[in-house]
Amino acid sequence: MDFPENEKQSLNFIEQIIEEDLKNNNNEGRIHLRFPPEPNGYLHIGHAKSICLNFGLANHYNGLCNLRFDDTNPEKEDVEYVESIMEDIQWLGFEWDQEAYYASDYFDQLYDWAVKLIKDGKAYVDEQAQSLISEQRGVPTRPGINSPYRDRPIEENLRLFEGMKNGEFETGAMILRAKIDMSSPNMHMRDPIMYRILHQDHHRSGDKWCIYPMYDYAHGQSDFIEGITHSVCTLEFEIHRPLYDWFLDQIVEGNYRPRQIEFARLNLSYTVMSKRKLLQLVEENLVNGWDDPRMPTISGLRRRGYTPESIRRFAERIGVAKRDNVIDVGLLEFSVREHLNEIAPRVFAVLNPVKVIITNYPEGQSEEVELINNPEDPEGGSRIVPFSREIYIERDDFMEDPPKKFFRMGPGREVRLKGAYIVKCEDYKKDENGAITEIYCTADMDSKSGGAGASRKVKGTLHWVSAQHAIDAEVRVYDRLFLDEDPAGHKDKDFKEFMNPESLKVLPACKLEPSLADVKAGDSFQFQRLGYFCVDKESSADALVFNRTVPLRDSWSKRK
RNA sequence: UGUCCGAUGGUGUAAUGGUAGCACUUGUGAUUUUGGUUCAUACAGUCAAGGUUCGAAUCCUUGUCGGACAACCA
């Protein structure tokens, strides 16, 4: 028998490139990536895809991955974002090489290279009005025209650029431009801007600089400084690649050279992903901050109860390619259910309680029943839950006039109280509005779980909480933030018009089994038959607060 | 009327000239003291037309459709 020793695994196109480079010993066989966020907002699930990709590739090929803050625009950036970004990456389970890097640490080097470009006759200072410059740039289908300052003498360029650096000119008065080709079909090659004047303090370099490099001039050079071999970014930078390469051409001397590779960013159904829109939701108080559990931010997902593992699995499952894609948000939910199913202890929690009185159970008596913590985890052990004459069950688990397929409680029907007895509904009471107030049952006292008469089968099994032992909690039931599959995809309508008015329902009076008395923020549980829930950061010992991460799959409500 | 990129089941993603596979979704059935999990099973795909070839999702040509690009943002 000969089985293939190693099943040939399929590689995504970036892995293919890397393996090809490895085979050819390009860059001495080094693999060095980087994740380069701009610290101008919180990271979201789309960034998580990129983080898992870059750090994952580095891990897999025994390479390195840097964290580099692309902080070349002090007008939008802030240390608050730097800190949240670091926290999110670490939480996801990744480590960057060395300290975090900052493009702003390269400003001196970048400046020197710019001077070199001027000396080489490849850059010039333009002092025209912004509107004129943009007019001269033309449009994609028509070439642009040269700036009258394009052939300014080198000495003058040098003097002016130094003046720019020294603060001799107002913000916006001049720019440094690369001298490339104003008739290029690629707009980015039409003498792109390298430096602009910005009299603005920077969150790291303070007031040292009043000129700042543009992304295109800073990014490839930063990659080069750090020894990056594969500079992975999203598709919209594809058209920048010739410029990335052009700037590199001006400084590369040896054999080492970084290479830009573009992949398709993540889009999620029923979600908006742009930083601008997320910022809008936060600033207009449409959600409760960047870490609102409804936000697709990493901090929001964390607070919602998503595990790092579940996000990594999700990133693995969606793959990497160059075609535009929209991932069903259901796949994200699948990933978190899958992981939580493996690790979350099961507990009883009644979200919409209705009281059940077991009339043949002695008053004032109670007993302990033992319940398995997690049937998926053999090491999970068990716990004790008190049972007594008065219990709460879920309001939805009772119907006055149930259809035949309703396997729960109804007049005259028998159900199993999980871990305890089979009970039969004998009667119930309603208030003046017709709402059920109390349900009366009799228990089959021989049917206790684990006992001799327990093998008898009934159709339904309910979770329950002993009324006198129950602890109270608030449960926040989250649902998707938008009702439309592509909220940002309507030309004539604002994405906010599609917000789900019921994305958050607060249930203030839930009843939990007493073992939940001393949980801590972040703990995850399966509320049996309901879903996965985690302890919110606002929870305290005397005011428990849980967030619903995701409901269980529910083939019952679907058939209704 | 530009340049660049892309097109495989409903959604993603493999197959790199040789059996179109996997996951999610959906349907059906089994198991189940969670209408969960698990297991089994089914539905469903190569944008179009030509060409090269014994053989094309893959190579070539043309077309169609989709996306990106005209910030002193990244």
Side-chain angles (χ1 to χ4, degrees):
Chain A
M1 298 194 295
D2 60 346
F3 292 104
E5 288 287 296
N6 297 308
E7 179 117 1
K8 205 182 98 192
Q9 62 187 20
S10 65
L11 304 175
N12 67 47
F13 78 100
I14 299 178
E15 291 166 333
Q16 289 174 27
I17 289 170
I18 289 178
E19 298 207 351
E20 191 66 20
D21 285 340
L22 247 17
K23 198 167 62 185
N24 299 330
N25 203 240
N26 292 341
N27 298 321
E28 287 87 44
R30 292 170 40 241
I31 300 298
H32 201 155
L33 298 103
R34 102 266 93 109
F35 174 65
E38 183 188 11
N40 68 343
Y42 280 64
L43 260 25
H44 55 60
I45 183 72
H47 295 108
K49 174 183 181 180
S50 177
I51 290 166
C52 292
L53 213 209
N54 281 291
F55 286 91
L57 248 13
N59 286 154
H60 185 258
Y61 290 103
N62 282 309
L64 300 169
C65 186
N66 292 356
L67 166 61
R68 177 170 74 232
F69 289 98
D70 219 334
D71 55 353
T72 57
N73 183 4
E75 290 186 310
K76 291 184 179 169
E77 296 153 7
D78 196 278
V79 285
E80 175 197 355
Y81 299 124
V82 169
E83 284 159 11
S84 76
I85 288 168
M86 293 203 214
E87 185 187 358
D88 289 347
I89 296 170
Q90 285 169 326
W91 177 77
L92 273 175
F94 296 103
E95 285 176 20
W96 48 87
D97 184 45
Q98 309 288 324
E99 300 296 301
Y101 294 86
Y102 296 82
S104 54
D105 287 347
Y106 310 142
F107 283 172
D108 285 292
Q109 174 67 266
L110 258 12
Y111 180 82
D112 291 345
W113 276 329
V115 169
K116 171 185 153 40
L117 279 197
I118 294 171
K119 287 179 177 166
D120 291 346
K122 291 181 173 171
Y124 62 98
V125 172
D126 199 339
E127 57 190 274
Q128 298 180 95
Q130 201 171 139
S131 57
L132 247 181
I133 290 176
S134 101
E135 199 177 300
Q136 288 166 1
R137 193 158 18 228
V139 292
T141 52
R142 286 257 174 285
I145 58 170
N146 287 171
S147 162
Y149 297 101
R150 198 170 199 263
D151 294 313
R152 208 198 274 277
I154 288 173
E155 290 312 316
E156 194 179 327
N157 280 320
L158 252 15
R159 186 169 46 75
L160 254 19
F161 186 48
E162 191 174 3
M164 282 168 63
K165 183 191 73 167
N166 292 337
E168 293 169 18
F169 310 108
E170 295 293 295
T171 289
M174 294 179 184
I175 54 174
L176 182 71
R177 289 229 254 175
K179 193 191 286 188
I180 306 181
D181 177 8
M182 289 304 290
S183 64
S184 170
N186 183 337
M187 297 292 291
H188 296 278
M189 300 299 274
R190 321 242 266 222
D191 289 10
I193 297 171
M194 294 169 62
Y195 272 94
R196 75 280 212 190
I197 300 171
L198 227 48
H199 289 275
Q200 163 90 232
D201 282 5
H202 185 279
H203 66 100
R204 294 201 99 224
S205 61
D207 62 2
K208 177 174 176 186
W209 296 90
C210 63
I211 57 172
Y212 292 93
M214 301 290 290
Y215 167 85
D216 286 300
Y217 179 62
H219 203 92
Q221 319 303 84
S222 300
D223 285 341
F224 183 75
I225 290 168
E226 293 177 18
I228 301 303
T229 55
H230 301 266
S231 184
V232 178
C233 62
T234 45
L235 244 32
E236 67 268 29
F237 292 100
E238 200 156 30
I239 202 151
H240 294 240
R241 195 186 337 131
L243 184 52
Y244 178 98
D245 287 329
W246 190 91
F247 280 128
L248 244 23
D249 286 341
Q250 313 310 314
I251 58 166
V252 166
E253 281 170 356
N255 286 324
Y256 158 65
R257 166 189 271 266
R259 167 179 182 181
Q260 177 177 306
I261 302 167
E262 312 85 13
F263 72 98
R265 68 176 339 135
L266 167 68
N267 296 293
L268 257 195
S269 63
Y270 297 96
T271 310
V272 297
M273 203 74 95
S274 85
K275 279 187 188 173
R276 207 196 98 251
K277 292 193 177 66
L278 295 177
L279 178 64
Q280 211 176 326
L281 292 173
V282 172
E283 287 186 336
E284 295 176 20
N285 290 311
L286 270 8
V287 295
N288 303 314
W290 285 101
D291 70 345
D292 185 296
R294 294 165 293 185
M295 292 282 274
T297 51
I298 295 178
S299 52
L301 291 166
R302 174 166 63 231
R303 190 169 170 194
R304 177 79 169 253
Y306 277 73
T307 58
E309 172 72 20
S310 67
I311 293 174
R312 280 186 250 120
R313 289 185 195 185
F314 172 73
E316 187 62 37
R317 249 187 279 258
I318 60 177
V320 180
K322 294 193 72 160
R323 60 190 99 98
D324 292 326
N325 61 85
V326 181
I327 306 289
D328 190 331
V329 70
L331 189 61
L332 219 209
E333 294 173 344
F334 169 83
S335 298
V336 73
R337 277 196 198 99
E338 178 192 55
H339 187 223
L340 256 15
N341 177 51
E342 295 164 14
I343 63 165
R346 272 61 170 168
V347 294
F348 285 170
V350 177
L351 268 34
N352 292 298
V354 62
K355 187 171 274 188
V356 173
I357 297 167
I358 299 160
T359 53
N360 63 332
Y361 196 93
E363 276 183 67
Q365 186 177 314
S366 69
E367 65 187 297
E368 296 178 331
V369 304
E370 186 177 8
L371 286 156
I372 300 295
N373 286 328
N374 186 347
E376 307 300 316
D377 177 10
E379 321 261 283
S382 61
R383 69 190 188 286
I384 296 299
V385 177
F387 181 84
S388 64
R389 177 183 161 93
E390 298 194 1
I391 61 170
Y392 293 109
I393 66 165
E394 216 65 62
R395 204 162 269 282
D396 288 348
D397 284 340
F398 176 84
M399 278 182 88
E400 281 186 86
D401 186 20
K404 50 272 142 222
K405 286 290 201 175
F406 185 80
F407 302 146
R408 307 180 189 181
M409 193 179 281
R413 294 197 180 191
E414 277 193 314
V415 292
R416 159 74 64 184
L417 294 175
K418 188 175 172 69
Y421 301 92
I422 294 173
V423 294
K424 183 176 186 180
C425 173
E426 310 283 4
D427 198 6
Y428 57 96
K429 207 193 300 183
K430 295 197 279 188
D431 65 17
E432 60 277 12
N433 300 318
I436 308 295
T437 53
E438 278 182 351
I439 299 168
Y440 304 96
C441 292
T442 50
D444 172 356
M445 297 307 288
D446 293 328
S447 66
K448 187 176 179 188
S449 293
S455 57
R456 191 157 72 83
K457 299 285 183 225
V458 288
K459 261 306 195 184
T461 301
L462 307 187
H463 63 280
W464 49 270
V465 173
S466 167
Q468 63 167 292
H469 302 93
I471 55 176
D472 298 315
E474 171 180 316
V475 175
R476 299 173 184 171
V477 177
Y478 292 103
D479 198 356
R480 52 188 54 157
L481 232 202
F482 295 95
L483 294 171
D484 189 87
E485 264 188 66
D486 182 16
H490 302 259
K491 287 182 215 47
D492 48 333
K493 285 184 176 152
D494 189 82
F495 73 99
K496 285 173 292 190
E497 290 182 39
F498 301 100
M499 290 189 75
N500 178 4
E502 300 188 330
S503 61
L504 168 59
K505 284 184 204 150
V506 178
L507 304 177
C510 304
K511 299 291 185 182
L512 315 185
E513 66 170 64
S515 73
L516 258 6
D518 41 37
V519 293
K520 60 178 194 304
D523 288 350
S524 277
F525 299 91
Q526 186 195 99
F527 286 1
Q528 202 119 87
R529 299 211 303 136
L530 298 175
Y532 296 98
F533 296 74
C534 73
V535 182
D536 189 73
K537 67 178 189 184
E538 291 174 356
S539 186
S540 68
D542 33 317
L544 294 173
V545 179
F546 286 81
N547 297 322
R548 186 176 75 180
T549 306
V550 67
L552 252 27
R553 273 185 78 222
D554 184 358
S555 52
W556 163 245
S557 68
K558 242 181 282 183
R559 69 190 300 152
K560 283 191 289 191

